[in-house]
Amino acid sequence: MRILYGLVILLLASSLSARSAQEYLPPDADPDPGIPTPESVLGWDVGDWHVSHDRLVQYMQTLAAASPRVSIKVIGYTYEQRPLLQLAITSAENQGKLETLRQQHLDGDGPLVVWLGYSVHGDEASGSNASMLAAYYLASSRSDFVNELLDGSVVLIDPSINPDGLNRFASWANSNAGKMPVSDPVTREHIQDWPRGRTNHYWFDLNRDWLPLVHPESRARIVEYHRWLPHLLTDYHEQGGYPGFFFQPGVPSRQNPLTPMENLELTRALAQYHSQAMDRAGQPHFTEEAYDDFYYGKGSTYPDINGSIGILFEQRAIRGQELRTSNGTETFQMAVANQLRMSLSSLQGSWALRERLKAYQSGFHAAMLERAQSRNFSAWVIGDDGDPARARFFLNMLDLHQIEYRLLAETVRTDSHEFSPGHAWVIPVRQRQFGLLEAMMEQRPRFEDNTFYDVSAWTLPLANNLPFATLNRVPSSAAAIESSSGLPPDANSPAWAVRWNQLDTPAMLQELLAAEVKVRVAIKSFSAQTNGGPRIFEAGTLVVQAGIQTPDALQKSHEILGDSAMAGLDVYSFGSTMTVVGPDLGSRHFKLIKPINPLLVGGSGTSAYGVGEQWFVLDYHLQIPVTIVEQQRLDKINLWDYTHLLLADGEYDSITNGLKKAITRWIKDGGILVTINRASSWAESLCFESEPDDCEVVESAITDNEPVTARAYSDFVDDKAKQVIGGAIVASVLDLSHPLTFGYRRAELPLFRRGTTVLEPSNNAYSTPVRYTSNPLLAGYIGDDRLAAFRGQAAVIAEKQGEGLIIRFANNPVFRGFWRGTEKLFINALYFGQVIDPTELPEFEPPPKPEIPRQQ
Ligand SMILES: [Zn+2]
């Protein structure tokens, strides 16, 4: 059987021109025959197949076991429980004192440290496949260069930054590969199914997660990054749009202005080595175009604000065995060879430039301290907004980025906010990580260049809706104390209450509902006597009444409320169901929350990011078993089995008119449709009139026959940039009386704004709980015309149709899993959509004014 298997592989692989590891390596490599080659472990030559993650791990472990130059460590696990590997390669002698060398390096007097990171985008797989060759080369080569390099350096290899995505893609590429390679770009092998292998398990882009650190891959990596603080970090990708290989520098005018200019000079110096290596191989390449170093959440940009040099590489994607391109037929082997070439040129360049790189890093943090002193303020203060768990999410991010803060110990008043001791933190500007800290906190509204590869703003306190301010003096502070658990609930109480403003209350609600506990939500605020004294409770507070539960549910509610209090949620026990002020617990102002069963729509046409972000909130945070159905299969589904239909950003062309009619009937029967971005524009085409003709949209006739103002052809790119909203932060105002805003205490809420969706205003005066302010831009770039289009307009609209509801979001409230300030709007749509009452005023025609002769 084994022989037969080998024979099949041999037959399949035979039509490719196989290339042994030695053939990939430079001519002077002189590999030690005692070190296992990739092909000796895999059974095939690198480049013939796409390596699956388990085989990659197998090779790296075999290599580490055989070579005294290689040590290997599992730094964490992905959601799918794949190990995240880190290889440390250095001379055998250095291996014995690796920890000492690391310390010496951090003290500014150690070896060169280079970090090679591969294929953060799982379907840009040439990197991970090349990582085996790079590791083999360093482990086996007896050349003078490698001996000298390993005596004076530690090379860290992260062979697969995104194992779950790599594996998803390898399965696709291998299972669609033929015996005969197909270079036709339209064949199935080159076009992945939805969702592609680019992203991680929840379909997030890990190459945007270096700042927010939402995912285990990023969290494990950032710890190692700061443990090692490499001089150079390389980031190997693939691209589909350009004929040549890209390496940095990117567009110089789009480099983040917080990055020191010397970083660009060193990047240019390294580029000489890459260019020479590419020229020797006759490979076309380019720099200073298309890509940039602006958003610090990318792997090649985060190092730039931490004293390292980050370098992005972009090989043309083959996505299969070979591809017909404008350069001719290019093979996966060529792609792998290029990534290896750029790994070796990075090592050669950084070794040659080691003294400059070391001096740059040693001076970096001192330069940042100097920068801190030049700022006209001394500290940031940031409050918990009455929700310590949300603040903890933000502070945890600071911890991972090695940023220092202390608990505020005195009351601080600013123009807009009062910060209380114990409920706010002081982040002094005078600290080693000031560079990164400023990059996380700043609100930049103007830019040298208005084109952005990714978002133009990410101010993290705004994303978490935490009040913050700069201060001219550092207020008194104390060491942070461990957060204590709340009062345990009194099992004999007739009712318990939990405020909705806390980050973790929704997960507790879901747990209660899953245990068949009857939970009510306060529609009005009230005050009551509790075990913690008299308290005021806002609308949105959850109330569990003992008397209406089954014995099982009552038992469960004791457990869940008790566990929640232990975990830090404020759970209050009431002495009576009669309140002091406001409605009593048995009144109609406490509405029962029915369990929810949402249907999340995915599939081709939808944004996998957008669907993944909702999946993540529902599954990971709220622990709802969520059904995901491709829009192409939606007509086979009985919508009436579900309470919510969730449509993320995307095109919904597959939804036929017949299905649209079913959706409208389902809404009228009580279904809740929640739409985001382009899905919201799509939802505006649903027809609820009994006469469909009444829905015919009258296309506004194009009447402007005015002559177009002539523009230079070369102005097009800039003009287009002005029309793109790549990602900015804008201010909105909440109607705090609306159930969709329950849990918010301050009327102003920062929103993430991307794309150009503008909602059609509602005819109902009570249906716009969130509206952009008239001067909304808080941070980032939005062109004047685009900004004008949504000033003062609706950001969220919730309209009743029959028994049901349509909730349209102009923008994404769960962007990349770190916009936890707006996440609650989405969660409210899930749980509180059902308690929104109709708000149709009765028909009223004002009577004609009587003619009354004026007296006096
Ligand atoms: Zn990429």
Side-chain angles (χ1 to χ4, degrees), residues 123-124 165 168-169 192-199 203 319 608:
D123 61 355
E124 300 173 7
R168 190 155 74 238
F169 175 67
Q192 297 164 72
D193 211 344
W194 188 99
R196 295 167 24 195
R198 175 183 176 91
T199 48
W203 312 334
R319 299 226 160 89

Side-chain angles (χ1 to χ4, degrees), residues 673-677 679-685 740 758-763 767-770 794-799 805-811:
L673 174 67
V674 182
T675 60
I676 293 175
N677 285 62
S680 296
S681 303
W682 172 87
E684 285 161 3
S685 70
L740 277 191
V758 177
L759 299 182
E760 230 170 66
S762 174
N763 292 327
S767 299
T768 308
V770 189
V796 182
I797 294 176
E799 287 176 312
L805 187 71
I806 303 174
I807 303 174
R808 284 179 284 143
F809 286 85
N811 271 103

Side-chain angles (χ1 to χ4, degrees), residues 121 124 198 237-238:
H121 295 139
E124 300 173 7
R198 175 183 176 91
H237 290 250
E238 293 179 3

Side-chain angles (χ1 to χ4, degrees), residues 101-392:
L101 289 173
R102 187 180 72 82
Q103 278 303 337
Q104 286 172 348
H105 156 61
L106 292 181
D107 294 341
D109 186 27
L112 174 75
V113 179
V114 180
W115 175 307
L116 308 174
Y118 295 95
S119 300
V120 63
H121 295 139
D123 61 355
E124 300 173 7
S126 54
S128 285
N129 284 272
S131 76
M132 295 183 286
L133 296 167
Y136 169 67
Y137 171 67
L138 292 172
S140 70
S141 172
R142 293 173 293 190
S143 70
D144 291 345
F145 169 68
V146 170
N147 281 325
E148 191 185 312
L149 175 78
L150 295 186
D151 273 345
S153 327
V154 176
V155 180
L156 301 165
I157 293 185
D158 187 340
S160 170
I161 306 176
N162 174 14
D164 294 348
L166 180 80
N167 216 68
R168 190 155 74 238
F169 175 67
S171 293
W172 179 269
N174 290 338
S175 57
N176 286 292
K179 179 168 177 288
M180 300 304 296
V182 182
S183 62
D184 187 345
V186 303
T187 193
R188 181 176 160 78
E189 182 186 12
H190 297 301
I191 314 285
Q192 297 164 72
D193 211 344
W194 188 99
R196 295 167 24 195
R198 175 183 176 91
T199 48
N200 80 344
H201 175 80
Y202 284 104
W203 312 334
F204 280 67
D205 189 336
L206 290 177
N207 199 36
R208 305 293 181 268
D209 198 38
W210 281 72
L211 265 194
L213 304 174
V214 172
H215 298 287
E217 296 91 340
S218 315
R219 298 170 87 84
R221 186 159 300 110
I222 213 73
V223 170
E224 288 300 318
Y225 174 84
H226 286 291
R227 256 172 50 77
W228 278 104
L229 203 60
H231 297 103
L232 171 67
L233 185 146
T234 55
D235 192 21
Y236 298 92
H237 290 250
E238 293 179 3
Q239 47 85 11
Y242 307 92
F245 189 106
F246 170 84
F247 46 81
Q248 280 180 325
V251 182
S253 62
R254 283 159 49 186
Q255 169 155 313
N256 194 302
L258 296 178
T259 299
M261 280 313 286
E262 200 186 342
N263 182 298
L264 182 60
E265 289 157 24
L266 279 161
T267 301
R268 285 199 170 118
L270 286 163
Q272 294 302 319
Y273 293 85
H274 310 318
S275 177
Q276 283 160 15
M278 283 302 197
D279 278 343
R280 278 197 298 272
Q283 292 291 299
H285 53 278
F286 68 103
T287 62
E288 309 211 351
E289 261 189 72
Y291 300 94
D292 69 31
D293 259 336
F294 187 78
Y295 171 48
Y296 289 118
K298 294 188 298 165
S300 54
T301 312
Y302 181 83
D304 296 341
I305 196 66
N306 283 278
S308 312
I309 307 293
I311 304 288
L312 170 70
F313 296 96
E314 293 275 358
Q315 157 68 35
R316 186 214 296 268
I318 304 300
R319 299 226 160 89
Q321 295 167 301
E322 61 178 48
L323 184 71
R324 196 166 67 224
T325 78
S326 58
N327 295 334
T329 296
E330 296 185 351
T331 66
F332 185 55
Q333 286 179 357
M334 290 164 72
V336 170
N338 276 340
Q339 302 283 30
L340 176 66
R341 203 164 275 134
M342 294 298 92
S343 304
L344 304 196
S345 63
S346 298
L347 293 172
Q348 276 147 3
S350 58
W351 181 246
L353 297 166
R354 60 189 180 279
E355 295 312 326
R356 276 181 74 187
L357 288 166
K358 287 178 186 180
Y360 172 72
Q361 185 170 82
S362 298
F364 179 84
H365 292 100
M368 291 302 116
L369 270 178
E370 244 170 66
R371 181 185 284 178
Q373 265 165 327
S374 75
R375 296 298 185 247
N376 60 0
F377 57 97
S378 302
W380 281 277
V381 60
I382 181 156
D384 70 5
D385 196 31
D387 180 9
R390 183 153 36 92
R392 181 39 56 200

